[in-house]
Amino acid sequence: MLFENLIILTTSAAVLVGFFIVLSRRRSYEKKSGKALELPSIVVPKRQLEQVLDEKTKKKVTIFYGTQTGTAEGFAKALYEEAKVRYEKVEFKVIDLDDYAADDDEYAEKLKKETISFFFLATYGDGEPTDNAARFYRWFTEGDEKGVWLKQLQYGVFGLGNTQYEHFNKIAKVVDDALTTQGANRILPIGLGDDDHLIEDDFDTWKELVWPELDLLLRDEDDKNATTPYTPYTPYTAAIPEYRVMFHDKPRAPTLDRSLTNRRDVHDAQHPCRSNVAVKKELHTPQSDRSCTHLEFDISHTRLSYETGDHVGVYCENQIEIVEEAERLIGLPADTYFSLHTDNEDGTPLGGPSLQPPFPPCTLRKALTKYADLLSSPKKSTLLALAAHASDPTDVERLRFLASRAGKDEYAK
Ligand SMILES: Cc1cc2nc3c(=O)[nH]c(=O)nc-3n(C[C@H](O)[C@H](O)[C@H](O)COP(=O)(O)O)c2cc1C
């Protein structure tokens, strides 16, 4: 980076010196001969000179995200999309915190060059960072005393959490505090997104506070005087994963569902195992108006072990009547065999968050029974994505209304 800066500086200096020499020669020739000198065309075109200078002075904003299931990434990309349109002369980047730097030294090296940054950070486990934010988090908040070294940085944090958890939005709060302690300037209050309610509304509300602050930092005098109105609110759709669907001939023999065999060495979200419930107890007394169930799973026949802090995901199945209703609405036979892909046929990635296909090739019946959430309300971003594909204008209008601020009450019903 230092090397690149040096090249840019040397190039700009060389161009300016060259330009000055040409001008001073022209003056002395004109004095002597009384004739105006025919100037050869300048070797470095003006546009190139402007580009070099622009690069040097261009304002830059970096948007970081720490995500497990893509929501933080979607919000980061939504802010990026809207900001790009509002501030055309500014360079915006969206960065996965894990990809930002290879080690602690590189994190330090790069972060001290950032001037404006936003952090979208989800909290998991028992107040833990997401996998892709863990390295950054440990280095930034738990490492050696770093002192006040980020005075050049203006920042905002939006946390993604859920009020059902004890450590609500812990990671965002800790990073927000650590940024201030290390000298950075918080330009707006931390946003605390709550996935137990309408986290997209939390994001929208916080985003509206971002623009006046960015106007102060990014708009130059020309822009401030411009009469064209700023691009209005661009709704957030970037969190909707895009998949390529492929239909296949049915497999001749029914395939063994390997995802549910217990004889694996490693079990993960794609390869769960079956286990029986060994103990079930209600923790609240009959006087309480709440309910909390204590469950113990028998994992003795699996190769799993459990440590405090590990979490258990439970795969539930939809009831057959709900599945049949969904099949009827989709209009495809239950035995339609298909797969979802996150890349194009030539292997290039599709847009949207960088997630894995959500389930292996299977029939529509199995996808709807085991993998689809058929009973929760769709997220607002999903409604907008559906609106973009709906063919009936009444449906388009209705979907957009439900996703809008005006439709908030109706959406919540
Ligand atoms: C297994 C699990 C553990 C979670 N733990 C916490 C937590 O400790 N504190 C919190 O505020 N939210 C917690 N959440 C909520 C997530 O942070 C929230 O759903 C967030 O929107 C996920 O963002 P992502 O899609 O970018 O990963 C947890 C969610 C899951 C599924």
Side-chain angles (χ1 to χ4, degrees):
M1 195 59 190
L2 182 65
F3 184 62
E4 275 170 28
N5 282 345
L6 265 178
I7 292 183
I8 292 171
L9 264 179
T10 354
T11 321
S12 347
V15 170
L16 288 171
V17 168
F19 196 58
F20 176 74
I21 292 172
V22 172
L23 278 181
S24 53
R25 286 238 176 101
R26 174 183 171 158
R27 289 226 177 86
S28 54
Y29 175 87
E30 281 170 6
K31 253 194 223 155
K32 276 189 212 147
S33 67
K35 268 202 262 163
L37 175 70
E38 283 278 311
L39 265 184
S41 56
I42 295 169
V43 184
V44 180
K46 189 163 163 256
R47 203 175 322 136
Q48 201 173 322
L49 171 64
E50 280 169 3
Q51 263 173 9
V52 172
L53 294 174
D54 267 6
E55 266 314 305
K56 257 329 280 163
T57 52
K58 204 170 193 176
K59 291 179 179 160
K60 294 181 183 157
V61 177
T62 309
I63 305 170
F64 297 103
Y65 64 85
T67 187
Q68 203 72 24
T69 57
T71 323
E73 183 180 357
F75 288 169
K77 289 186 172 164
L79 184 76
Y80 164 82
E81 293 295 337
E82 188 164 349
K84 248 183 359 181
V85 180
R86 285 175 179 255
Y87 311 100
E88 284 172 354
K89 296 180 193 159
V90 179
E91 184 181 320
F92 289 91
K93 277 192 200 141
V94 186
I95 298 188
D96 177 327
L97 273 167
D98 221 14
D99 297 340
Y100 187 56
D103 54 34
D104 294 356
D105 289 345
E106 200 183 353
Y107 270 124
E109 186 65 24
K110 291 178 102 172
L111 206 56
K112 69 178 176 227
K113 290 190 191 133
E114 300 291 348
T115 50
I116 307 173
S117 294
F118 292 96
F119 295 80
F120 287 86
L121 300 167
T123 298
Y124 270 83
D126 201 12
E128 296 288 320
T130 58
D131 292 343
N132 78 320
R135 230 164 25 91
F136 167 79
Y137 183 76
R138 302 233 150 88
W139 163 72
F140 192 62
T141 65
E142 294 169 7
D144 307 335
E145 184 67 40
K146 295 186 180 55
V148 175
W149 65 293
L150 286 176
K151 281 192 157 171
Q152 84 297 342
L153 182 64
Q154 316 278 338
Y155 79 93
V157 172
F158 184 84
L160 294 92
N162 186 317
T163 37
Q164 294 290 330
Y165 289 89
E166 184 188 345
H167 300 286
F168 175 56
N169 261 314
K170 178 177 160 195
I171 300 306
K173 289 176 188 168
V174 171
V175 169
D176 185 50
D177 283 348
L179 281 161
T180 312
T181 312
Q182 293 176 41
N185 178 36
R186 183 193 291 119
I187 57 172
L188 76 160
I190 181 173
L192 295 177
D194 180 6
D195 206 12
D196 195 35
H197 297 287
L198 298 171
I199 195 165
E200 291 161 302
D201 285 354
D202 297 335
F203 168 57
D204 276 345
T205 308
W206 178 82
K207 189 157 57 90
E208 289 316 301
L209 303 177
V210 168
W211 306 128
E213 300 305 326
L214 281 188
D215 281 354
L216 292 175
L217 294 169
L218 299 178
R219 287 201 181 277
D220 53 31
E221 285 312 310
D222 298 354
D223 295 330
K224 280 180 192 149
N225 297 334
T227 46
T228 12
Y230 301 153
T231 317
Y233 169 75
T234 25
Y236 132 77
T237 52
I240 302 296
E242 197 180 327
Y243 297 113
R244 177 168 58 88
V245 183
M246 275 190 72
F247 294 99
H248 309 275
D249 292 338
K250 261 165 268 163
R252 276 189 212 112
T255 47
L256 178 69
D257 188 350
R258 295 206 169 274
S259 65
L260 272 176
T261 165
N262 284 359
R263 288 190 301 274
R264 296 182 61 89
D265 284 334
V266 180
H267 289 286
D268 55 28
Q270 301 293 337
H271 308 98
C273 71
R274 283 185 192 279
S275 70
N276 292 330
V277 173
V279 179
K280 179 174 179 261
K281 295 190 273 202
E282 171 58 55
L283 296 179
H284 285 263
T285 60
Q287 287 74 42
S288 167
D289 57 356
R290 295 176 59 203
S291 166
C292 182
T293 310
H294 169 101
L295 290 179
E296 286 175 25
F297 296 94
D298 176 7
I299 52 169
S300 55
H301 59 296
T302 70
R303 295 181 190 196
L304 284 174
S305 59
Y306 176 80
E307 282 175 32
T308 313
D310 284 352
H311 39 258
V312 179
V314 178
Y315 283 71
C316 332
E317 296 194 355
N318 289 306
Q319 288 171 343
I320 184 68
E321 307 82 64
I322 308 282
V323 171
E324 282 170 352
E325 173 71 359
E327 284 166 3
R328 197 185 57 72
L329 291 167
I330 293 172
L332 287 173
D335 59 356
T336 307
Y337 200 79
F338 73 108
S339 56
L340 296 181
H341 302 263
T342 49
D343 54 4
N344 291 302
E345 268 164 53
D346 62 5
T348 53
L350 287 165
S354 41
L355 299 176
Q356 292 299 310
F359 49 82
C362 63
T363 59
L364 181 62
R365 169 67 52 94
K366 183 169 167 189
L368 293 174
T369 307
K370 289 177 183 271
Y371 301 116
D373 179 355
L374 297 178
L375 294 177
S376 307
S377 313
K379 291 196 164 187
K380 291 190 173 186
S381 48
T382 309
L383 298 180
L384 290 168
L386 287 172
H389 293 280
S391 48
D392 182 338
T394 330
D395 290 344
V396 174
E397 207 176 304
R398 176 84 188 138
L399 288 163
R400 287 208 180 127
F401 173 72
L402 285 174
S404 71
R405 280 176 211 171
K408 195 175 169 183
D409 292 342
E410 211 156 321
Y411 175 83
K413 275 182 199 165

